[in-house]
mmCIF file of all heavy atoms in Angstrom:
data_model
loop_
_atom_site.group_PDB
_atom_site.id
_atom_site.type_symbol
_atom_site.label_atom_id
_atom_site.label_comp_id
_atom_site.label_asym_id
_atom_site.label_seq_id
_atom_site.Cartn_x
_atom_site.Cartn_y
_atom_site.Cartn_z
ATOM 1 N N GLY S 15 48.744 85.462 -132.270
ATOM 2 C CA GLY S 15 49.537 86.024 -133.424
ATOM 3 C C GLY S 15 49.872 87.497 -133.232
ATOM 4 O O GLY S 15 50.280 88.112 -134.126
ATOM 5 N N GLY S 19 54.529 93.103 -129.053
ATOM 6 C CA GLY S 19 55.042 93.246 -127.735
ATOM 7 C C GLY S 19 56.420 92.472 -127.567
ATOM 8 O O GLY S 19 57.095 92.748 -126.554
ATOM 9 N N THR S 26 65.540 88.032 -131.888
ATOM 10 C CA THR S 26 66.832 87.545 -132.326
ATOM 11 C C THR S 26 67.151 86.152 -131.737
ATOM 12 O O THR S 26 67.662 85.287 -132.380
ATOM 13 C CB THR S 26 67.914 88.649 -132.039
ATOM 14 O OG1 THR S 26 67.539 89.830 -132.818
ATOM 15 C CG2 THR S 26 69.296 88.075 -132.616
ATOM 16 N N SER S 29 65.064 83.542 -133.308
ATOM 17 C CA SER S 29 65.592 83.228 -134.593
ATOM 18 C C SER S 29 66.812 82.393 -134.658
ATOM 19 O O SER S 29 66.959 81.420 -135.445
ATOM 20 C CB SER S 29 65.808 84.562 -135.354
ATOM 21 O OG SER S 29 66.334 84.373 -136.659
ATOM 22 N N ASN S 52 37.805 69.372 -130.445
ATOM 23 C CA ASN S 52 37.258 68.035 -130.539
ATOM 24 C C ASN S 52 37.145 67.365 -129.199
ATOM 25 O O ASN S 52 36.203 66.678 -128.836
ATOM 26 C CB ASN S 52 38.105 67.181 -131.430
ATOM 27 C CG ASN S 52 37.831 67.232 -132.884
ATOM 28 O OD1 ASN S 52 36.944 66.620 -133.409
ATOM 29 N ND2 ASN S 52 38.565 68.144 -133.542
ATOM 30 N N ARG S 63 22.729 61.965 -134.696
ATOM 31 C CA ARG S 63 23.466 62.701 -135.658
ATOM 32 C C ARG S 63 24.408 63.792 -134.983
ATOM 33 O O ARG S 63 24.877 64.800 -135.592
ATOM 34 C CB ARG S 63 22.630 63.552 -136.592
ATOM 35 C CG ARG S 63 21.634 62.574 -137.484
ATOM 36 C CD ARG S 63 21.008 63.248 -138.530
ATOM 37 N NE ARG S 63 20.028 62.410 -139.226
ATOM 38 C CZ ARG S 63 20.444 61.602 -140.212
ATOM 39 N NH1 ARG S 63 21.697 61.523 -140.569
ATOM 40 N NH2 ARG S 63 19.489 60.887 -140.798
ATOM 41 N N PRO S 86 47.279 83.413 -141.851
ATOM 42 C CA PRO S 86 48.722 83.097 -142.255
ATOM 43 C C PRO S 86 48.766 81.814 -142.981
ATOM 44 O O PRO S 86 47.972 80.885 -142.759
ATOM 45 C CB PRO S 86 49.430 82.991 -140.981
ATOM 46 C CG PRO S 86 48.364 82.670 -139.897
ATOM 47 C CD PRO S 86 47.063 83.301 -140.364
ATOM 48 N N ILE S 172 59.689 63.856 -134.298
ATOM 49 C CA ILE S 172 58.879 64.724 -135.194
ATOM 50 C C ILE S 172 59.639 66.055 -135.187
ATOM 51 O O ILE S 172 59.666 66.646 -136.231
ATOM 52 C CB ILE S 172 57.461 64.800 -134.530
ATOM 53 C CG1 ILE S 172 56.726 63.528 -134.707
ATOM 54 C CG2 ILE S 172 56.779 65.934 -135.363
ATOM 55 C CD1 ILE S 172 56.527 63.031 -136.221
ATOM 56 N N PHE S 228 45.548 80.289 -115.008
ATOM 57 C CA PHE S 228 45.861 80.365 -116.338
ATOM 58 C C PHE S 228 47.141 81.181 -116.633
ATOM 59 O O PHE S 228 48.077 80.790 -117.411
ATOM 60 C CB PHE S 228 44.770 80.807 -117.220
ATOM 61 C CG PHE S 228 43.809 79.825 -117.661
ATOM 62 C CD1 PHE S 228 42.641 79.611 -116.842
ATOM 63 C CD2 PHE S 228 43.903 79.071 -118.752
ATOM 64 C CE1 PHE S 228 41.685 78.575 -117.149
ATOM 65 C CE2 PHE S 228 43.022 78.031 -119.098
ATOM 66 C CZ PHE S 228 41.867 77.905 -118.271
ATOM 67 N N PHE S 270 66.459 64.661 -151.085
ATOM 68 C CA PHE S 270 65.407 64.200 -150.075
ATOM 69 C C PHE S 270 64.302 63.457 -150.797
ATOM 70 O O PHE S 270 63.822 62.478 -150.333
ATOM 71 C CB PHE S 270 64.859 65.456 -149.262
ATOM 72 C CG PHE S 270 65.728 65.973 -148.206
ATOM 73 C CD1 PHE S 270 65.547 67.142 -147.567
ATOM 74 C CD2 PHE S 270 66.886 65.165 -147.843
ATOM 75 C CE1 PHE S 270 66.305 67.571 -146.566
ATOM 76 C CE2 PHE S 270 67.643 65.693 -146.760
ATOM 77 C CZ PHE S 270 67.377 66.843 -146.146
#
Side-chain angles (χ1 to χ4, degrees):
T26 300
S29 177
N52 275 276
R63 299 189 183 280
I172 294 298
F228 274 94
F270 281 172

